Amino acid sequence: MSKYASWTHGKLPLTELAELKRRGQKLAMVTAYDFPSGRIADEAGVELVLVGDSAAMVVLGNESTVPVTMEELLMLTRAVTRGATRPLVVADMPFGSFQVSDEVAVANAVRFVKEAGADAVKLEGAGPTLSRVQAIVGAGVPVMGHVGLTPQSATMLGGFKAQGRTAEKAERLYEDALALEAAGCFAVVLEAVPAAVAGRVTGALSVPTIGIGAGVACDGQVLVWHDLLGLYAGKAPRFVKRYADLAGEAKRALEAYVDDVREGRFPEEQHTYAIPDEELEAFESWVASHDVAQAQHEQR
Ligand code: KIV
């Protein structure tokens, strides 16, 4: 029997997500930032692909997620949506793209759908973000919420730290998640939240929770592509599970290539193009007469 209630081919319907939660089936989400990563994520069977503002750090080399711009994320989202045609592609709204007003937030969310082919957008925070969520959903763009550790406001949170670790803060987080669902979010990311708190929040929401550092009780999990595959040189947070060492593999491959080039072992016959014998002969005799003419010219 199919895992899905209504999906058979083409794009996964958004409504499948709540249905999968209801059935107790977990959702897999991963970030992607270009065409090949979008395609591999699709082929691997994830339900959701996030074009995260983590691109600022893992792709563009910034110290935080704050500097990435709308134009940069639009370009990356366009590439991902060309590769990931079955999963739902969620574009992260970068810092500054939704904080100013509901109108600016709607305009930028619409750009992700219209210009980059995203299926939904993700916004960090609750409180002032709630009216943005309502406005964007009202404009017809599905929204994923994000509470707990929200990297765009890491400075205000006192750094990249787990959130909701006192009863008061856990209550606040619980209320925020419920408020995001009420505002119209189709799913909520819980980042760096104690597993017991995330479990309670998950039980209270009818839309799926997607955890990252929030324990196994969440309805789904998300990891950053570079962390999952061992591509990021920086220190990974404790919640990362590394499934491969692609940076090591890439370095080994490149070292072998450098050696082959230096030793003349690459390219081989199979990597080169041939020319018919008679064409080569004609060319060689042209080169010879050309060389003679050149030498005569230089003697003059
Ligand atoms: O930008 C990102 O990659 C994210 C995930 C960590 C949820 O927001």
Side-chain angles (χ1 to χ4, degrees):
M1 197 185 83
S2 164
K3 174 179 175 196
Y4 301 102
S6 60
W7 180 78
T8 49
H9 65 280
K11 177 67 75 178
L12 188 71
L14 193 79
T15 45
E16 276 284 356
L17 304 181
E19 178 56 20
L20 288 176
K21 172 177 176 125
R22 213 186 48 71
R23 295 184 185 185
Q25 286 176 214
K26 300 282 188 184
L27 303 167
M29 179 171 181
V30 68
T31 67
Y33 311 100
D34 57 16
F35 173 75
S37 56
R39 193 165 60 181
I40 294 167
D42 185 335
E43 287 169 3
V46 300
E47 277 80 27
L48 293 146
V49 173
L50 172 67
V51 187
D53 63 354
S54 47
M57 299 170 77
V58 298
V59 176
L60 302 174
N62 294 295
E63 299 262 300
S64 81
T65 60
V66 168
V68 73
T69 64
M70 273 298 297
E71 299 312 318
E72 286 164 340
L73 282 183
L74 279 168
M75 188 194 73
L76 302 182
T77 305
R78 250 178 239 125
V80 170
T81 56
R82 286 184 201 118
T85 54
R86 185 195 58 91
L88 291 154
V89 178
V90 182
D92 221 354
M93 295 201 61
F95 183 69
S97 70
F98 65 93
Q99 284 83 357
V100 177
S101 69
D102 288 356
E103 290 71 24
V104 172
V106 171
N108 283 323
V110 166
R111 287 192 73 194
F112 276 118
V113 173
K114 208 174 160 79
E115 296 176 31
D119 300 301
V121 296
K122 177 170 84 57
L123 272 70
E124 288 189 9
T129 303
L130 295 172
S131 80
R132 311 288 187 261
V133 172
Q134 276 171 333
I136 296 170
V137 173
V141 178
V143 176
M144 175 176 272
H146 183 162
V147 286
L149 171 56
T150 44
Q152 290 177 9
S153 38
T155 310
M156 294 206 358
L157 298 174
F160 288 84
K161 295 187 197 160
Q163 301 295 308
R165 297 184 84 182
T166 64
E168 195 189 334
K169 288 185 173 152
E171 282 166 27
R172 177 72 186 276
L173 197 133
Y174 185 100
E175 299 285 9
D176 284 348
L178 281 173
L180 284 168
E181 173 171 279
C185 286
F186 70 90
V188 179
V189 169
L190 304 177
E191 179 165 354
V193 170
V197 176
R200 285 289 183 197
V201 173
T202 300
L205 297 189
S206 50
V207 297
T209 57
I210 309 291
I212 174 159
V216 77
C218 294
D219 299 304
Q221 300 294 327
V222 56
L223 279 178
V224 168
W225 181 268
H226 292 61
D227 290 339
L228 190 158
L229 295 172
L231 275 167
Y232 189 49
K235 188 175 174 291
R238 86 178 249 126
F239 52 73
V240 168
K241 180 168 175 187
R242 191 167 273 188
Y243 286 84
D245 172 27
L246 291 197
E249 189 59 27
K251 189 159 166 264
R252 277 188 288 280
L254 284 164
E255 284 168 352
Y257 164 71
V258 169
D259 265 8
D260 276 0
V261 170
R262 291 201 178 133
E263 298 301 321
R265 287 191 298 259
F266 175 81
E268 297 160 46
E269 182 84 36
Q270 55 179 316
H271 307 122
T272 58
Y273 299 97
I275 179 171
D277 289 347
E278 63 279 15
E279 297 300 331
L280 185 57
E281 247 166 61
F283 173 63
E284 298 284 15
S285 71
W286 176 85
V287 170
S289 58
H290 180 266
D291 288 353
V292 169
Q294 188 78 18
Q296 285 168 349
H297 178 76
E298 277 161 16
Q299 275 167 11
R300 267 192 241 128

